[in-house]
Amino acid sequence: MLGPKVWSSVRRGLSRALSRTMGSWASGEGRKMDISGIYPPVTTPFTATAEVDYGKLEENLHKLGTFPFRGFVVQGSNGEFPFLTSSERLEVVSRVRQAMPKDKLLLAGSGCESTQATVEMTVSMAQVGADAVMVVTPCYYRGRMSSAALIHHYTKVADLSPIPVVLYSVPANTGLDLPVDAVVTLSQHPNIVGIKDSGGDVTRIGLIVHKTRRQDFQVLAGSAGFLLASYAVGAVGGVCALANVLGAQVCQLERLCLTGQWEDAQKLQHRLIEPNTAKVLFENTPVWDCFVPPQQILTSKRSPIGSQT
Amino acid sequence: MLGPKVWSSVRRGLSRALSRTMGSWASGEGRKMDISGIYPPVTTPFTATAEVDYGKLEENLHKLGTFPFRGFVVQGSNGEFPFLTSSERLEVVSRVRQAMPKDKLLLAGSGCESTQATVEMTVSMAQVGADAVMVVTPCYYRGRMSSAALIHHYTKVADLSPIPVVLYSVPANTGLDLPVDAVVTLSQHPNIVGIKDSGGDVTRIGLIVHKTRRQDFQVLAGSAGFLLASYAVGAVGGVCALANVLGAQVCQLERLCLTGQWEDAQKLQHRLIEPNTAKVLFENTPVWDCFVPPQQILTSKRSPIGSQT
Amino acid sequence: MLGPKVWSSVRRGLSRALSRTMGSWASGEGRKMDISGIYPPVTTPFTATAEVDYGKLEENLHKLGTFPFRGFVVQGSNGEFPFLTSSERLEVVSRVRQAMPKDKLLLAGSGCESTQATVEMTVSMAQVGADAVMVVTPCYYRGRMSSAALIHHYTKVADLSPIPVVLYSVPANTGLDLPVDAVVTLSQHPNIVGIKDSGGDVTRIGLIVHKTRRQDFQVLAGSAGFLLASYAVGAVGGVCALANVLGAQVCQLERLCLTGQWEDAQKLQHRLIEPNTAKVLFENTPVWDCFVPPQQILTSKRSPIGSQT
Amino acid sequence: MLGPKVWSSVRRGLSRALSRTMGSWASGEGRKMDISGIYPPVTTPFTATAEVDYGKLEENLHKLGTFPFRGFVVQGSNGEFPFLTSSERLEVVSRVRQAMPKDKLLLAGSGCESTQATVEMTVSMAQVGADAVMVVTPCYYRGRMSSAALIHHYTKVADLSPIPVVLYSVPANTGLDLPVDAVVTLSQHPNIVGIKDSGGDVTRIGLIVHKTRRQDFQVLAGSAGFLLASYAVGAVGGVCALANVLGAQVCQLERLCLTGQWEDAQKLQHRLIEPNTAKVLFENTPVWDCFVPPQQILTSKRSPIGSQT
């Protein structure tokens, strides 16, 4: 069996190095940025007075830096991005960039309701050091978010983004699933490199992998709960809240999947899927996972439920 | 039959004058602000370059000012608030305050995802001239928005708001209905004066009216589509997108309901509910209504579908 | 104010008499059967050994016969029709026909999943004495129940039914709302006289009334919870579980609506909508209402929850 | 690589033989019936006059008999059981029993809305030759189908069934998912041997496998669309409509999973998940699959859409 360092380096190889030096997708040559691997969605700690606790954030990053993650997702749903101002969102990403190991990827959530704001946030995220942006579907006017509207939105963002774009579909929060036909169309954009799919519908994930097989398009599972199954149908990684507290185990699950040790993978997946185990483990930690959407962390003092938990 | 001016003045009477001079709910005496009547949800016009078109906004206000509305809702769903920056939201309200007749009410949408941001926006809305705020339910983490969380959120906002608060439940956009038990609890807060209910469930509206009957709590229907029915079960007005283009007719429907002319009211309601009629009327207008949620206006160049309509 | 008997007789008038003697819609002349008024959905009592308790059924009918109902709905959702065999469904209707007053209407539920079975049950219901059938939407294959499929189904049933057909849309149980366009198309069929709409969406009810106004098509509200509102937008009656225990009050609400006493109607509607009141009243009765779908009675020993209540 | 016959025999082994001779679960010794493997859900052919076409049924069975299926599911959703009378349901099962190879399992759908009818149908299914029954959740009163109600229902059925019971959860049709806690409780019943889960939520499937790991409880995937993923998390087979037309391929996918050839399995899964491929293949066949619920076959002349397809 390969050790964690070995399989990790094998996995990324040359393509990663290339993509980092490429500077921009505009060059158009070669492959899309390789985003395969496991990412914890970094949470945003708050002080007692509801300010962002940057000291605690850096402390968390140092702990997370000890695991063989591919990188970090910052300002995703678990980062409670809807509770931060635009400048706080950027500041958090900037701090993470400084605190995290140089060889990891930083995927920053830059989705807003309007196309214009999303473009602006995307450009700013690149400026503060994000390697790629993860763009959640706009959702307040979900009744109007047809495939055509969503394709229009993401195409505009990807056209103007200096860094690669990862689509982000999280129906438990947004009430809409980015339609498969829209994903397939968008996968042809040279600056759209993949999707984080948090819906948990593995038939859909398999179909996306299959229908985008000629586009160098990568699927990340949005939860540890269906990580093994996603690997089985062709996903290349996962953004798993559970990785915030069980980083070693989630990375081990990745390794078992990548090296074809499916029997052991199944056993580990079962242990990770068990809410009680997680509950015990999480009790004395500042973060916790929720395997079944739409539970998120919401430790923030700014949350409507902040003072109750 | 009473003319529009007469019934309008009868309806409001002294209580309105009192509430305006009261300054703040903190005085605690007397009744809650009377918000009964019809309100168009003012749309936000944009220029070709996707800037807010303040000239056009004032022009629209002058047109709308000719109808016997009780006031205006600004920065509601039809105002496309999710597409504006915080300062634009405030600037729009400020401009409407200046352009609108002095004797009308200005209800400003101040809802944000976090409690803290909502409080800040609420205070700012009061500073730029809003008479009351209309606060939409936070929704991104809808799976966590229990009755307790929502009661906590609205109580905090109402505690700190210098002007009255109107709850705003619009499940077509938010994916959650502010639960009846939460509404009943919140109706007891001296600074929470009513709810705009856009869900269209008239059993629920009747139940809310009944269960809050001792709280001087007022229900506004969220669409012209169920305005008559809402009056029939005790609502006192409506925020109707249709009033942007058929202002006279929606106000006439209000008058027919208030004066007990239910047969004529039914005929008018039927005409207003007919999508084809509305379509014809709306074709050459800059705005249109959608009777069945979750359709909103979205004329904005900033909208994901902006350039397609 | 008119007494109950007077308004009742005025309401029905000659058309009713005509429709009863007409024998069949096939004659094609004149108006559709008048089905306006209040109906309790008769429940099916069971013995301790889970047999249909016909003695108890007749007893209930005699009690219900003392109220000024327009008639009775038998084998609707509250009649627990899914728990009976075909022959029991017919036997229950036959017994009700014999036990009920001659001048009341008997609407019998005859819906089955297949078109063929529905036609057979419809013909049999006519043979055992039903005045009209109420046909619930097939629902097991709801994903395939397009407007076209439902129009096809109901047209076939109405073509072959010797008695008038009432459409029945109850989304809380079936998971589908008979689409408005399908209702409008079906309203043109000479043997389809109306719809029982239990969804509670009063905008939809108003739209159906408006769009079928030239078809002599009648809408019955499916619950006492939105009875007043339904009358306000043009419904002509209701099938109300609450009428099983508060028959006098529900009929009084009808009368207040029909005679334009909307203020008193609102007060009464509020009292009838209050779950606690109903709970107290229902506690010592064999039946109860549920204002909010999808609660049904399910007293049956055959129900999956039979022994637990 | 093991050939189809070899792995098939290895898989079943002695336990199968034992379970068949055991006669009844009442003996209580030993393991539950082994139901692992692939099953096509047999469709019900109809004549032009909407009668069950038993000749065609036998013909289909002979074709299906050539594939290495574990057995056949009869009177499931694809068998259009809601369109048949009770006696037809039994006659179909009886005919399949006679026409099918002796060494295959016959799982017969016996679910009805009432507990009583389900018990009767279950006993009858055993009498006409079913090896086990597959019992769909009652669903018309889904608002009342709590975990407690469903546990009560299935326990009663399993107590009285002379043959093993397989739970059947198909939310696309029934609007309810048999809750995991109910499944776990029911897995402890000696006569409940497994579940056919058609919801496609692989996190849930993994959790069920994990939480029932001490109960000898078996999970069958309800569609070919998530067959590979289900095997990956511990399912032991599938009931796949696609197996009606691509029997060899679905069985090959099973084999690849069982022998750990996950890379080839993924490729085959992708091909089977592709609707276009399937469409072409299905065009000239009497049956077709639907990968995404809630599409079913509905070729029946009795279906509301029968004459339209």
Side-chain angles (χ1 to χ4, degrees):
Chain A
M1 196 171 88
L2 297 172
K5 281 180 193 164
V6 180
W7 61 260
S8 172
S9 64
V10 164
R11 186 186 55 195
R12 296 166 200 165
L14 196 59
S15 70
R16 168 79 200 294
L18 276 173
S19 71
R20 291 300 297 276
T21 53
M22 203 170 60
S24 159
W25 63 273
S27 65
E29 312 126 7
R31 294 168 56 78
K32 289 178 176 176
M33 174 187 277
D34 175 0
I35 57 169
S36 63
I38 300 297
Y39 303 76
V42 176
T43 59
T44 305
F46 289 84
T47 66
T49 56
E51 298 302 307
V52 176
D53 189 339
Y54 293 106
K56 179 78 183 139
L57 176 66
E58 284 167 32
E59 199 179 298
N60 285 346
L61 259 292
H62 290 135
K63 281 184 202 155
L64 293 171
T66 62
F67 300 105
F69 296 131
R70 178 59 192 280
F72 303 96
V73 162
V74 186
Q75 298 301 301
S77 298
N78 279 286
E80 301 185 54
F81 75 87
F83 297 156
L84 300 191
T85 64
S86 297
S87 54
E88 285 171 334
R89 285 175 74 172
L90 292 168
E91 182 65 18
V92 166
V93 169
S94 173
R95 298 291 187 107
V96 170
R97 176 81 277 170
Q98 287 154 34
M100 68 185 259
K102 297 283 168 267
D103 63 326
K104 307 278 188 191
L105 279 185
L106 195 170
L107 308 190
S110 68
C112 301
E113 285 291 330
S114 82
T115 306
Q116 183 175 313
T118 305
V119 168
E120 285 170 15
M121 183 63 82
T122 295
V123 171
S124 300
M125 286 296 188
Q127 287 167 347
V128 297
D131 291 306
V133 285
M134 201 176 77
V135 182
V136 71
T137 52
C139 63
Y140 189 77
Y141 300 101
R142 79 197 52 160
R144 309 293 303 280
M145 292 300 109
S146 60
S147 276
L150 291 162
I151 289 171
H152 176 262
H153 176 74
Y154 279 110
T155 300
K156 199 115 188 185
V157 173
D159 282 348
L160 299 173
S161 173
I163 51 177
V165 171
V166 178
L167 311 174
Y168 179 20
S169 183
V170 56
N173 286 339
T174 61
L176 63 89
D177 227 355
L178 190 52
V180 171
D181 71 294
V183 175
V184 172
T185 298
L186 291 167
S187 73
Q188 298 163 18
H189 194 291
N191 205 25
I192 296 178
V193 301
I195 184 170
K196 174 188 171 190
D197 196 314
S198 295
D201 178 348
V202 78
T203 307
R204 171 188 154 91
I205 289 176
L207 194 56
I208 289 174
V209 170
H210 179 60
K211 281 173 156 289
T212 63
R213 64 193 179 281
R214 294 196 186 84
Q215 306 304 333
D216 195 19
F217 185 80
Q218 300 152 83
V219 179
L220 300 176
S223 163
F226 50 93
L227 185 59
L228 162 59
S230 297
Y231 271 114
V233 298
V236 300
V239 182
C240 309
L242 189 62
N244 279 304
V245 277
L246 296 177
Q249 291 85 339
V250 176
C251 289
Q252 194 191 349
L253 179 53
E254 176 201 23
R255 188 176 45 203
L256 293 171
C257 293
L258 289 176
T259 55
Q261 301 178 69
W262 295 100
E263 223 162 306
D264 287 348
Q266 189 183 109
K267 280 180 201 153
L268 180 52
Q269 173 69 85
H270 284 177
R271 286 210 310 277
L272 295 181
I273 221 169
E274 166 68 65
N276 291 331
T277 308
K279 226 178 188 172
V280 172
L281 283 162
F282 285 21
E283 220 144 78
N284 293 315
T285 65
V287 289
W288 48 274
D289 191 35
C290 34
F291 307 91
V292 185
Q295 295 167 295
Q296 262 78 24
I297 288 176
L298 301 192
T299 58
S300 164
K301 295 290 179 211
R302 298 186 187 172
S303 156
I305 59 172
S307 68
Q308 300 180 316
T309 46
Chain B
M1 197 170 90
L2 297 172
K5 282 180 191 163
V6 180
W7 62 260
S8 173
S9 65
V10 166
R11 187 185 54 195
R12 298 165 198 165
L14 197 58
S15 69
R16 168 79 201 294
L18 277 173
S19 70
R20 292 300 296 276
T21 54
M22 209 170 59
S24 160
W25 65 271
S27 65
E29 312 127 8
R31 295 166 55 77
K32 289 178 177 176
M33 175 188 278
D34 175 0
I35 56 168
S36 63
I38 300 297
Y39 303 76
V42 177
T43 59
T44 305
F46 289 85
T47 65
T49 55
E51 297 303 306
V52 176
D53 189 339
Y54 293 107
K56 180 76 184 144
L57 176 67
E58 284 168 33
E59 200 179 299
N60 284 349
L61 259 294
H62 289 136
K63 280 183 201 155
L64 292 172
T66 63
F67 300 105
F69 297 131
R70 179 58 192 283
F72 303 97
V73 162
V74 186
Q75 296 301 302
S77 299
N78 279 285
E80 300 184 54
F81 75 87
F83 297 156
L84 301 191
T85 65
S86 298
S87 55
E88 285 172 333
R89 285 176 75 171
L90 292 168
E91 181 65 15
V92 165
V93 169
S94 173
R95 298 291 186 107
V96 171
R97 177 80 276 171
Q98 287 155 34
M100 69 184 261
K102 297 283 169 266
D103 63 326
K104 308 281 187 190
L105 280 183
L106 195 169
L107 308 190
S110 67
C112 301
E113 284 292 328
S114 83
T115 307
Q116 181 175 316
T118 305
V119 168
E120 284 169 14
M121 183 63 81
T122 295
V123 171
S124 300
M125 285 296 187
Q127 287 168 346
V128 296
D131 292 306
V133 286
M134 201 175 79
V135 181
V136 71
T137 52
C139 64
Y140 190 77
Y141 300 100
R142 78 196 52 157
R144 308 293 304 279
M145 292 300 109
S146 61
S147 276
L150 291 162
I151 289 171
H152 175 262
H153 175 75
Y154 280 110
T155 300
K156 200 115 189 188
V157 173
D159 282 349
L160 298 173
S161 173
I163 52 176
V165 171
V166 179
L167 311 173
Y168 179 20
S169 183
V170 56
N173 286 339
T174 60
L176 64 87
D177 228 355
L178 191 53
V180 170
D181 71 294
V183 175
V184 172
T185 299
L186 291 167
S187 74
Q188 298 163 18
H189 194 290
N191 205 25
I192 295 177
V193 300
I195 184 171
K196 173 188 172 190
D197 196 314
S198 295
D201 178 347
V202 77
T203 307
R204 170 186 154 93
I205 290 176
L207 194 57
I208 289 173
V209 170
H210 179 59
K211 282 174 155 289
T212 63
R213 65 194 178 281
R214 294 198 185 81
Q215 307 302 334
D216 196 19
F217 185 81
Q218 299 151 82
V219 178
L220 300 176
S223 162
F226 51 94
L227 185 59
L228 163 59
S230 297
Y231 272 113
V233 298
V236 300
V239 181
C240 309
L242 190 61
N244 279 306
V245 276
L246 297 177
Q249 291 85 339
V250 176
C251 290
Q252 195 190 346
L253 179 53
E254 176 200 24
R255 187 175 48 201
L256 292 171
C257 292
L258 288 176
T259 56
Q261 301 177 70
W262 294 100
E263 222 162 307
D264 287 348
Q266 189 184 110
K267 280 178 202 156
L268 180 53
Q269 173 70 85
H270 283 176
R271 287 210 309 275
L272 296 181
I273 222 171
E274 165 68 64
N276 291 331
T277 308
K279 224 180 191 171
V280 172
L281 283 162
F282 285 20
E283 219 143 78
N284 295 313
T285 65
V287 289
W288 50 273
D289 191 34
C290 34
F291 307 91
V292 184
Q295 296 166 295
Q296 263 79 21
I297 288 178
L298 302 193
T299 58
S300 164
K301 296 290 180 211
R302 297 186 189 172
S303 155
I305 59 172
S307 67
Q308 302 180 313
T309 46
Chain C
M1 196 172 88
L2 297 172
K5 281 181 190 162
V6 180
W7 61 260
S8 172
S9 64
V10 165
R11 186 185 55 195
R12 295 168 199 164
L14 196 58
S15 71
R16 166 80 201 293
L18 277 172
S19 72
R20 291 301 296 276
T21 52
M22 208 169 57
S24 160
W25 63 272
S27 65
E29 311 127 8
R31 294 168 55 77
K32 289 176 176 177
M33 175 187 277
D34 175 358
I35 57 168
S36 63
I38 300 297
Y39 303 75
V42 176
T43 59
T44 305
F46 289 85
T47 65
T49 54
E51 297 303 306
V52 176
D53 189 338
Y54 292 106
K56 180 75 183 142
L57 175 67
E58 284 168 32
E59 201 178 298
N60 284 348
L61 259 293
H62 289 136
K63 281 182 200 157
L64 292 172
T66 62
F67 299 105
F69 296 131
R70 179 59 193 281
F72 303 96
V73 162
V74 187
Q75 297 302 301
S77 298
N78 279 285
E80 300 183 55
F81 74 88
F83 297 154
L84 301 191
T85 64
S86 298
S87 54
E88 284 172 333
R89 285 176 76 172
L90 292 168
E91 181 66 16
V92 165
V93 170
S94 173
R95 299 291 186 109
V96 170
R97 178 81 273 175
Q98 287 155 31
M100 68 184 260
K102 297 283 168 269
D103 63 327
K104 307 280 188 192
L105 279 184
L106 195 170
L107 306 191
S110 68
C112 302
E113 284 292 329
S114 82
T115 307
Q116 181 176 316
T118 305
V119 168
E120 284 169 15
M121 182 63 81
T122 295
V123 171
S124 299
M125 285 296 187
Q127 286 168 346
V128 297
D131 291 306
V133 285
M134 202 175 77
V135 180
V136 72
T137 52
C139 63
Y140 189 77
Y141 299 100
R142 78 196 53 161
R144 309 293 304 279
M145 291 301 110
S146 61
S147 277
L150 291 161
I151 289 171
H152 175 262
H153 175 73
Y154 279 110
T155 300
K156 199 114 188 187
V157 173
D159 282 349
L160 298 173
S161 173
I163 53 178
V165 170
V166 178
L167 311 173
Y168 179 21
S169 182
V170 56
N173 286 340
T174 61
L176 63 88
D177 227 355
L178 189 54
V180 171
D181 71 292
V183 175
V184 172
T185 299
L186 291 168
S187 74
Q188 297 163 18
H189 193 290
N191 204 25
I192 296 178
V193 300
I195 184 170
K196 173 188 173 190
D197 197 314
S198 296
D201 177 347
V202 77
T203 307
R204 171 187 153 93
I205 290 176
L207 194 57
I208 289 174
V209 170
H210 179 59
K211 282 175 156 287
T212 63
R213 65 193 179 281
R214 295 198 185 85
Q215 307 303 335
D216 196 20
F217 186 79
Q218 300 151 84
V219 178
L220 301 176
S223 163
F226 51 94
L227 185 59
L228 163 58
S230 298
Y231 271 113
V233 298
V236 300
V239 181
C240 309
L242 190 62
N244 279 305
V245 274
L246 295 177
Q249 291 86 337
V250 176
C251 289
Q252 194 190 348
L253 180 53
E254 176 200 23
R255 189 174 46 200
L256 292 170
C257 293
L258 289 176
T259 56
Q261 300 177 71
W262 296 99
E263 224 162 304
D264 287 349
Q266 190 184 109
K267 280 179 203 154
L268 180 52
Q269 172 71 85
H270 284 177
R271 287 211 308 278
L272 295 181
I273 222 169
E274 166 67 65
N276 291 332
T277 309
K279 224 178 189 174
V280 171
L281 283 161
F282 286 19
E283 218 144 76
N284 295 314
T285 64
V287 287
W288 49 274
D289 190 33
C290 33
F291 305 92
V292 185
Q295 297 166 295
Q296 262 79 23
I297 289 177
L298 302 193
T299 58
S300 164
K301 297 288 182 215
R302 297 184 188 174
S303 156
I305 60 171
S307 66
Q308 300 179 315
T309 46
Chain D
M1 197 172 90
L2 297 171
K5 281 182 190 162
V6 180
W7 59 260
S8 172
S9 63
V10 165
R11 186 183 58 195
R12 297 165 199 165
L14 195 60
S15 70
R16 167 79 202 292
L18 276 173
S19 71
R20 291 300 298 276
T21 53
M22 208 171 59
S24 160
W25 63 272
S27 65
E29 312 127 7
R31 296 169 54 79
K32 289 178 177 177
M33 175 188 278
D34 175 357
I35 57 169
S36 63
I38 301 298
Y39 303 76
V42 177
T43 59
T44 305
F46 288 85
T47 65
T49 56
E51 297 302 308
V52 176
D53 189 339
Y54 292 107
K56 179 77 184 142
L57 176 66
E58 284 169 32
E59 200 178 300
N60 285 346
L61 259 293
H62 288 135
K63 281 183 202 157
L64 293 171
T66 63
F67 299 105
F69 296 131
R70 179 59 193 280
F72 302 97
V73 162
V74 186
Q75 297 301 302
S77 297
N78 279 286
E80 301 184 54
F81 75 86
F83 297 156
L84 301 192
T85 65
S86 298
S87 54
E88 284 171 334
R89 286 176 75 173
L90 293 168
E91 181 65 16
V92 166
V93 170
S94 172
R95 298 292 187 106
V96 170
R97 178 80 277 170
Q98 288 155 33
M100 67 185 260
K102 297 283 168 267
D103 63 328
K104 307 280 187 188
L105 279 184
L106 196 169
L107 307 190
S110 68
C112 302
E113 284 291 329
S114 81
T115 306
Q116 181 175 316
T118 305
V119 168
E120 285 170 14
M121 182 64 79
T122 295
V123 171
S124 300
M125 284 297 186
Q127 287 167 347
V128 297
D131 291 305
V133 285
M134 200 176 78
V135 181
V136 71
T137 52
C139 63
Y140 190 76
Y141 299 101
R142 78 195 54 157
R144 309 293 304 280
M145 292 301 109
S146 60
S147 277
L150 291 162
I151 289 170
H152 175 261
H153 175 74
Y154 280 109
T155 301
K156 199 114 188 188
V157 173
D159 282 349
L160 299 173
S161 172
I163 52 178
V165 171
V166 178
L167 311 174
Y168 179 19
S169 183
V170 55
N173 286 339
T174 61
L176 63 88
D177 227 355
L178 190 54
V180 170
D181 71 292
V183 175
V184 172
T185 299
L186 290 167
S187 73
Q188 298 162 18
H189 193 291
N191 204 25
I192 296 178
V193 300
I195 184 171
K196 174 188 172 191
D197 196 313
S198 296
D201 178 347
V202 77
T203 307
R204 170 186 154 93
I205 289 176
L207 195 56
I208 289 173
V209 170
H210 179 59
K211 282 175 155 287
T212 64
R213 64 194 178 279
R214 296 199 184 82
Q215 306 304 334
D216 195 20
F217 185 79
Q218 299 152 83
V219 178
L220 301 176
S223 163
F226 50 94
L227 184 59
L228 162 59
S230 298
Y231 272 113
V233 299
V236 300
V239 181
C240 309
L242 189 62
N244 279 304
V245 274
L246 296 177
Q249 291 86 339
V250 177
C251 290
Q252 193 191 349
L253 179 53
E254 177 201 22
R255 188 176 46 199
L256 293 171
C257 292
L258 289 176
T259 55
Q261 301 178 69
W262 295 100
E263 222 162 306
D264 287 347
Q266 191 184 107
K267 280 179 204 154
L268 180 53
Q269 173 71 85
H270 283 177
R271 285 210 309 276
L272 295 181
I273 222 170
E274 165 68 65
N276 291 332
T277 308
K279 223 178 190 174
V280 171
L281 284 162
F282 286 18
E283 218 144 79
N284 294 313
T285 65
V287 288
W288 48 273
D289 188 36
C290 33
F291 307 90
V292 185
Q295 296 167 294
Q296 262 79 23
I297 289 179
L298 301 194
T299 57
S300 165
K301 296 292 180 210
R302 297 184 188 174
S303 156
I305 58 171
S307 67
Q308 300 180 313
T309 45

